[in-house]
Amino acid sequence: MKTPLSILLLLCSFSVYSQTKLVTAVYPPYVTLEQGRASGIAVKIVKRVFERLGQPLQINIAPFVSAMNDTSSGKFDGIFPVFKTPEREEFASYMAEMLFEQNIVIMGMKVSNKVWNKDILENVSLCLVDGFSYGELMDQMLKYQKFKAVERVKTPMQCLRLLMTNRVDFWMHNDYGARYLLLRHDARPHVYIRNPPVDSVPSYLAFSIKGGMTEEEIRNANYILEEMKITGEYHQIIEDYFQDLSY
């Protein structure tokens, strides 16, 4: 583990004059758009990392496919939060430290008599966002149609509506995304989040190989994120965000 002093020494070579340009897509609560500016827990954490680095930062918002293409071309220096795939590793260098462990959880109505049992799913209906990965196990179960019915929609808010109108038995989403929607729409008294998670998918801050970030600068950013987790600063940012939402 790097000490604060060793991190400081590593940062001596980090350029404070160039501006790093990152891109992201709206993905609540990780990335939100508030009054025309990027916000959300991922934005807050990434901003804090670059503040600690003393590096000017510009965060742009774009549709996900465009953001990925522009990172591949080097138009942007990096993208977050993204899952790691062999295809993406051809044009992006990922930080060793994950940005988030996205826990995949199941939501159900508190008044429902339906019980989630991963070994007996033939009689339950499920809502999910089309095109999203729910971890290797659940992706395989979806591929082989282990459910009575699966509603594939464009947004998680559509899943919440289907669940609360009893048109599906369960909704599957990442933990933070579910907490965000339940708080924003006063649905927590009616909907429960089942524990433990059914799977988890790590997401990262990835830098374009054609971008302006050097390998040393990426290592420095990684050391800062690692230290933030050790000191509790990382987790405090997340808890403060959800605490503010509850008011």
Side-chain angles (χ1 to χ4, degrees), residues 122-149:
E122 294 84 358
N123 295 321
V124 303
S125 57
L126 179 69
C127 185
L128 53 82
V129 176
D130 196 22
F132 186 83
S133 174
Y134 292 92
E136 184 176 354
L137 174 62
M138 293 309 301
D139 286 349
Q140 286 297 311
M141 295 180 73
L142 291 164
K143 179 179 179 180
Y144 292 107
Q145 302 177 348
K146 296 295 185 180
F147 302 89
K148 180 178 73 175

Side-chain angles (χ1 to χ4, degrees), residues 18 23 113 138 154:
S18 61
V23 66
N113 59 4
M138 293 309 301
K154 294 182 178 180

Side-chain angles (χ1 to χ4, degrees), residues 10-150:
L10 282 166
L11 296 184
C12 289
S13 62
F14 199 97
S15 171
V16 297
Y17 301 105
S18 61
Q19 184 181 62
T20 299
K21 294 188 293 184
L22 302 181
V23 66
T24 186
V26 173
Y27 181 39
Y30 300 95
V31 181
T32 61
L33 189 59
E34 314 219 353
Q35 298 180 340
R37 307 187 78 170
S39 188
I41 54 177
V43 171
K44 290 178 181 293
I45 288 170
V46 169
K47 279 185 174 180
R48 184 60 182 141
V49 168
F50 278 80
E51 285 173 7
R52 295 273 299 275
L53 288 171
Q55 174 73 356
L57 176 66
Q58 179 187 106
I59 296 178
N60 303 270
I61 288 185
F64 183 75
V65 174
S66 297
M68 191 62 70
N69 290 337
D70 287 341
T71 302
S72 176
S73 70
K75 179 179 178 180
F76 293 111
D77 297 309
I79 184 171
F80 69 95
V82 289
F83 302 138
K84 185 184 293 186
T85 68
E87 294 78 15
R88 293 172 186 174
E89 287 184 286
E90 292 180 2
F91 62 82
S93 178
Y94 284 74
M95 288 176 59
E97 191 71 30
M98 72 180 72
L99 196 56
F100 294 100
E101 183 78 40
Q102 295 193 27
N103 290 321
I104 306 302
V105 293
I106 300 297
M107 277 66 62
M109 295 298 293
K110 291 182 178 180
V111 297
S112 173
N113 59 4
K114 290 284 185 177
V115 177
W116 177 272
N117 183 331
K118 67 180 179 63
D119 298 318
I120 311 172
L121 296 174
E122 294 84 358
N123 295 321
V124 303
S125 57
L126 179 69
C127 185
L128 53 82
V129 176
D130 196 22
F132 186 83
S133 174
Y134 292 92
E136 184 176 354
L137 174 62
M138 293 309 301
D139 286 349
Q140 286 297 311
M141 295 180 73
L142 291 164
K143 179 179 179 180
Y144 292 107
Q145 302 177 348
K146 296 295 185 180
F147 302 89
K148 180 178 73 175
V150 177

Side-chain angles (χ1 to χ4, degrees), residues 10 26 42 98 105 178 183 192 201-202 211 220 233 236:
L10 282 166
V26 173
M98 72 180 72
V105 293
L183 286 169
Y192 69 87
V201 183
N220 291 343
E233 183 179 7
Q236 192 62 53

Side-chain angles (χ1 to χ4, degrees), residues 151-169:
E151 292 285 344
R152 298 177 183 271
V153 299
K154 294 182 178 180
T155 69
M157 186 64 217
Q158 291 174 286
C159 277
L160 177 57
R161 291 195 187 104
L162 289 175
L163 179 66
M164 295 194 68
T165 54
N166 297 312
R167 293 164 63 188
V168 294
D169 300 318

